[in-house]
Amino acid sequence: MERPLILVSNDDGIHAKGVHELIDRLITFGDVVAVCPDSPRSGQSMALTVDGPLRVSRVDDYHGARMYTTNGTPVDCVKLAVHTIVERMPDLMVSGINHGSNASINVNYSGTMGAALEGSTYGIPSVGISLTDHSHNADFTPCHPFVDAITAGVLRHGLPEGTCLNVNIPVWHSPLSEMRLVRAAKGNWKDEYREYTDPAGRKFFWLSGNFVNEEPENEDTDEWCLAHGIVSVVAESIYRTAPDTRGLQWISQNLTQISI
Amino acid sequence: MERPLILVSNDDGIHAKGVHELIDRLITFGDVVAVCPDSPRSGQSMALTVDGPLRVSRVDDYHGARMYTTNGTPVDCVKLAVHTIVERMPDLMVSGINHGSNASINVNYSGTMGAALEGSTYGIPSVGISLTDHSHNADFTPCHPFVDAITAGVLRHGLPEGTCLNVNIPVWHSPLSEMRLVRAAKGNWKDEYREYTDPAGRKFFWLSGNFVNEEPENEDTDEWCLAHGIVSVVAESIYRTAPDTRGLQWISQNLTQISI
């Protein structure tokens, strides 16, 4: 039987420890092709390069995986992989392992999840995996059994059309033993900029801030799981159309009815 | 009574015709503060600058609106506006008018919609408006009555928490007379890259391709409206958690149950 073809990307770039740890797990499940940004691209969301040249370079194989870099965003990496690198549509796409959480509202800003959402857009069962530790030499060992379980599960069961998984793994004081399918907690960032003055006397700002979980008591959320030593899995949709449109009936109208 | 405070941004940059046409409509409804990228930032999605300095510069007022530029993305513009420019939370945020459609899957890549989604993240009733004409000197006149109707409607009714509007206005052969609240059509881009060789003999790629609507017969979609001379309005959610998780029960498990 043909081995599954697994596409890998990330937003921390080709040199990040997380992507190598990920490949070491995935290579036992199938043939791995990794296409990663040539430098860190955190916070790139689903940005794509619309107005400039994109380059693809093959670099040294890593433990049996074919490795490529591009000068683009994570979404560019997935698009370039599908159109210019892989010989057939991958059976699975995994993005990460990200150095840092992508839970709650952070799915919107995350390049890791941008790549996973782009994989879903092509109909590839896709997963983003993140560890809640930003350090470049983070210990990814706690991720291993969950990467294996998610990989095996998605290869066996597939994923619903237009849906990818956002897996977040907490750094914890004792071995992790559980993962749960939950929803993204409501939350946002507060106090977001630090202000500086450059040598010429001009002001500039640098993103900072703290994430605030607006519903810390709700057990059906990713943030609750992460705060309680449970791996969170959120099914994220590539579609944003709001399910509830109560109160919006005024929108559908003919111009003759429009009065201001 | 205090006039409404209206925040404006876009992704085509401070010099685009669309944002000036928008301000000319909004200024009759309230006090306008525009914070736009200093150059075009199409395709920036909800990308934000996590690792570099951001600058904010005030430029000449335009027809009574306070005008600022930043070196950041559309999301950066909204965040910087809220944290470093406006004196209170705006009553309305409008992004655009974009030169080009942001219907269907394009909400995911659009910087125009990135700004609107970011506005919603702060709880500001937010709207992105796009005209299906990419030319820099597009005729925005057909947009005027719909910009007015949407502005008046959102100021009066507000929007549900976490929901912004994605308004797309078609270029059409006769006057537009109707707008409809619909859902985003399923669709994607095909044949996405053109291949070139640089003077040194190295290959590079440039994004190209054609959008394909995968459900052209469905009247409840934005693409159908645009193909039939109707302004489309989609309520877009800042949350991506998929409503339907059938088939995903295998995810919730204890590690002791995990078998590959």
Side-chain angles (χ1 to χ4, degrees):
Chain A
M1 206 179 82
E2 196 175 26
R3 276 164 64 84
L5 177 60
I6 304 174
L7 176 63
V8 165
S9 193
N10 76 347
D11 74 355
D12 291 319
I14 190 78
H15 301 297
K17 182 178 179 184
V19 72
H20 294 91
E21 295 267 336
L22 176 63
I23 291 168
D24 280 334
R25 307 310 303 177
L26 297 176
I27 204 71
T28 64
F29 291 91
D31 295 333
V32 175
V33 176
V35 186
C36 297
D38 55 16
S39 59
R41 294 294 198 120
S42 291
Q44 282 292 290
S45 184
M46 293 190 76
L48 81 182
T49 303
V50 297
D51 57 356
L54 287 166
R55 292 188 182 277
V56 177
S57 304
R58 184 159 183 183
V59 296
D60 288 346
D61 288 3
Y62 173 76
H63 292 186
R66 280 160 59 197
M67 305 288 284
Y68 298 82
T69 69
T70 86
N71 61 330
T73 65
V75 163
D76 290 332
C77 287
V78 175
K79 284 188 180 292
L80 286 163
V82 167
H83 288 283
T84 76
I85 297 175
V86 296
E87 299 73 24
R88 63 184 179 86
M89 203 57 97
D91 302 291
L92 173 67
M93 194 256 150
V94 188
S95 182
I97 301 171
N98 192 60
H99 297 239
S101 169
N102 282 315
S104 180
I105 197 73
N106 299 300
V107 64
N108 282 342
Y109 308 114
S110 162
T112 302
M113 288 310 301
L117 289 157
E118 184 63 25
S120 293
T121 303
Y122 285 117
I124 309 168
S126 299
V127 181
I129 304 180
S130 305
L131 176 70
T132 65
D133 182 346
H134 278 95
S135 57
H136 77 279
N137 63 347
D139 175 13
F140 288 90
T141 315
C143 303
H144 293 176
F146 299 96
V147 172
D148 291 353
I150 288 284
T151 301
V154 174
L155 283 173
R156 180 181 304 168
H157 300 286
L159 288 173
E161 185 269 327
T163 302
C164 66
L165 300 183
N166 182 6
V167 181
N168 283 275
I169 299 168
V171 174
W172 201 245
H173 47 74
S174 57
L176 300 170
S177 64
E178 186 183 357
M179 64 178 178
R180 283 193 201 168
L181 182 66
V182 286
R183 65 177 173 84
K186 294 186 183 185
N188 199 6
W189 292 81
K190 309 291 178 193
D191 308 321
E192 296 193 279
Y193 289 99
R194 193 170 299 181
E195 189 176 327
Y196 298 84
T197 305
D198 74 13
R202 291 182 62 199
K203 264 200 307 198
F204 64 90
F205 300 94
W206 204 288
L207 196 67
S208 173
N210 297 297
F211 175 78
V212 177
N213 179 7
E214 293 168 9
E215 47 173 342
E217 71 291 351
N218 288 339
E219 299 191 12
D220 63 338
T221 65
D222 51 5
E223 292 290 345
W224 191 93
C225 287
L226 298 178
H228 292 80
I230 296 166
V231 174
S232 67
V233 185
V234 174
E236 311 271 11
S237 176
I238 64 170
Y239 306 110
R240 285 200 179 274
T241 304
D244 183 359
T245 56
R246 280 176 292 186
L248 298 176
Q249 293 77 13
W250 61 270
I251 291 170
S252 289
Q253 56 186 327
N254 290 310
L255 199 56
T256 52
Q257 303 161 346
I258 294 175
S259 62
I260 299 159
Chain B
M1 206 179 83
E2 196 176 27
R3 277 164 63 84
L5 177 61
I6 304 174
L7 176 63
V8 166
S9 193
N10 76 346
D11 74 353
D12 291 319
I14 190 75
H15 301 296
K17 183 179 179 184
V19 72
H20 294 92
E21 295 267 335
L22 176 62
I23 291 168
D24 280 335
R25 305 312 300 178
L26 297 177
I27 203 73
T28 65
F29 291 91
D31 295 332
V32 175
V33 176
V35 185
C36 297
D38 55 15
S39 59
R41 293 292 198 122
S42 292
Q44 282 290 292
S45 185
M46 293 190 77
L48 81 181
T49 304
V50 295
D51 57 355
L54 288 166
R55 293 188 182 277
V56 177
S57 305
R58 186 158 181 184
V59 297
D60 289 346
D61 287 4
Y62 173 75
H63 292 187
R66 281 160 59 195
M67 305 288 283
Y68 297 82
T69 69
T70 86
N71 61 329
T73 66
V75 162
D76 290 331
C77 288
V78 175
K79 284 188 180 293
L80 287 164
V82 166
H83 288 282
T84 75
I85 297 175
V86 296
E87 299 74 23
R88 63 183 181 87
M89 204 54 101
D91 302 293
L92 173 67
M93 194 257 150
V94 188
S95 182
I97 299 172
N98 193 60
H99 297 238
S101 169
N102 281 316
S104 181
I105 196 74
N106 299 299
V107 64
N108 282 342
Y109 309 115
S110 163
T112 302
M113 288 310 300
L117 288 158
E118 184 63 25
S120 293
T121 302
Y122 285 118
I124 309 167
S126 299
V127 180
I129 304 180
S130 306
L131 177 71
T132 66
D133 182 345
H134 278 95
S135 57
H136 78 278
N137 63 347
D139 176 12
F140 287 91
T141 314
C143 301
H144 293 177
F146 299 97
V147 173
D148 292 353
I150 288 283
T151 301
V154 175
L155 284 173
R156 180 181 304 167
H157 300 286
L159 288 172
E161 186 271 324
T163 303
C164 66
L165 301 182
N166 182 6
V167 180
N168 283 276
I169 300 168
V171 173
W172 201 246
H173 45 73
S174 57
L176 301 171
S177 65
E178 187 183 356
M179 64 178 178
R180 282 192 200 168
L181 182 65
V182 287
R183 66 178 172 83
K186 294 184 183 187
N188 198 6
W189 292 82
K190 309 291 178 192
D191 307 321
E192 295 192 280
Y193 289 98
R194 193 171 299 180
E195 187 176 328
Y196 299 83
T197 305
D198 74 14
R202 291 182 61 202
K203 265 200 305 197
F204 64 91
F205 300 93
W206 204 288
L207 195 69
S208 173
N210 297 296
F211 175 78
V212 177
N213 179 5
E214 292 167 11
E215 46 172 343
E217 71 291 350
N218 289 340
E219 299 190 13
D220 63 338
T221 65
D222 51 4
E223 291 289 345
W224 190 92
C225 288
L226 298 178
H228 291 81
I230 296 167
V231 174
S232 67
V233 185
V234 174
E236 311 271 12
S237 177
I238 65 170
Y239 306 110
R240 284 200 180 275
T241 304
D244 183 359
T245 56
R246 279 176 294 187
L248 298 176
Q249 293 77 11
W250 61 269
I251 291 170
S252 289
Q253 55 186 330
N254 289 310
L255 199 57
T256 52
Q257 301 161 350
I258 293 175
S259 62
I260 298 158

